[in-house]
Amino acid sequence: AQTVTQSQPEMSVQEAETVTLSCTYDTSESDYYLFWYKQPPSRQMILVIRQEAYKQQNATENRFSVNFQKAAKSFSLKISDSQLGDAAMYFCAYSRTGGFKTIFGAGTRLFVKA
Amino acid sequence: ETGVTQTPRHLVMGMTNKKSLKCEQHLGHNAMYWYKQSAKKPLELMFVYSLEERVENNSVPSRFSPECPNSSHLFLHLHTLQPEDSALYLCASSQDLGYNEQFFGPGTRLTVL
């Protein structure tokens, strides 16, 4: 069975600095998607970034980038130039290509200090 | 309204009550999902619908009863719940089952007394 593990329940970062959130997953599939979702306090969960497993190039979206290590089954999220609005719960998630079930990790709560 | 909406946003109910949660998506998606979010636990997938047909019932107790009358609306009917059912219930939608990006609603915070 597929699993997603986020080993950091909480992280904090100073405004304008860089932080990396960790995620590992377990699967026997070779074709899948990985996601980072952001859930701000009392607001809707939104997709931050997505990575297709067949792509070797790491995905980037403005200040957000990932370090995808397929062999190690690791998928970390780097947030550069952190802003107060980045404070949220971040969920790492896995979905098999063509599947409908997305497996979520337990989340990492990110605090941003002014 | 845009995106995915959920009503009510907050619900308090006794164990003998019957209530319903409503979800509506304005994105033209074909698939809809119910998740349960409890503190410090991963999101738990409860039900999946594709084109109004249930494709997944993830071992959810029968006191939760989903209904999908059309591809834009999804309900979760609740009856004789337990205090451990208190949680945030999230609805999500995606273009199709094969499209993996999901769009979430704001959730209903449910408290069972």
Side-chain angles (χ1 to χ4, degrees), chain A residues 4 10 32-33 35 37 39 42-47 50 89 91 95-107, chain B residues 3-5 9 33 35 37 40-43 45 48 55-56 58 88 90 97-107:
Chain A
V4 176
E10 294 183 353
Y32 50 86
Y33 288 83
F35 308 85
Y37 282 90
Q39 187 179 36
S42 302
R43 294 182 61 185
Q44 287 167 249
M45 192 177 311
I46 58 172
L47 179 69
R50 175 173 62 177
M89 280 289 286
F91 294 93
S95 184
R96 178 177 61 83
T97 299
F100 57 83
K101 189 178 290 190
T102 301
I103 311 298
F104 287 83
Chain B
V4 180
T5 58
R9 295 293 306 275
Y33 312 78
Y35 288 91
Q37 184 177 22
K40 300 182 180 179
K41 292 177 66 176
L43 265 68
L45 179 65
V48 181
V55 297
E56 175 77 3
N58 205 25
L88 183 68
L90 294 172
L97 285 179
Y99 286 75
N100 295 300
E101 178 180 353
Q102 295 181 23
F103 294 77
F104 287 82

Side-chain angles (χ1 to χ4, degrees), chain B residues 51-94:
Chain B
L51 297 172
E52 302 110 63
E53 188 174 327
R54 191 190 310 178
V55 297
E56 175 77 3
N57 175 358
N58 205 25
S59 302
V60 178
S62 59
R63 57 186 183 270
F64 295 92
S65 174
E67 179 189 1
C68 188
N70 55 62
S71 59
S72 298
H73 293 85
L74 185 64
F75 295 88
L76 188 63
H77 304 298
L78 316 171
H79 64 97
T80 59
L81 294 191
Q82 305 298 311
E84 60 265 28
D85 297 322
S86 298
L88 183 68
Y89 288 84
L90 294 172
C91 175
S93 70
S94 61

Side-chain angles (χ1 to χ4, degrees), chain A residues 31-34 50-57 59 68:
Chain A
D31 202 8
Y32 50 86
Y33 288 83
L34 295 164
R50 175 173 62 177
Q51 174 80 43
E52 292 92 336
Y54 66 87
K55 289 186 177 179
Q56 291 187 327
Q57 187 172 9
F68 173 48

Side-chain angles (χ1 to χ4, degrees), chain A residues 82-93:
Chain A
S82 297
Q83 300 175 1
L84 295 177
D86 295 332
M89 280 289 286
Y90 287 83
F91 294 93
C92 178

Side-chain angles (χ1 to χ4, degrees), chain A residues 40-89:
Chain A
S42 302
R43 294 182 61 185
Q44 287 167 249
M45 192 177 311
I46 58 172
L47 179 69
V48 174
I49 200 165
R50 175 173 62 177
Q51 174 80 43
E52 292 92 336
Y54 66 87
K55 289 186 177 179
Q56 291 187 327
Q57 187 172 9
N58 288 324
T60 62
E61 286 289 341
N62 300 313
R63 298 182 295 106
F64 298 87
S65 62
V66 298
N67 183 3
F68 173 48
Q69 301 288 329
K70 191 172 185 179
K73 295 180 181 174
S74 170
F75 183 61
S76 60
L77 174 70
K78 185 171 85 171
I79 306 174
S80 303
D81 186 26
S82 297
Q83 300 175 1
L84 295 177
D86 295 332
M89 280 289 286

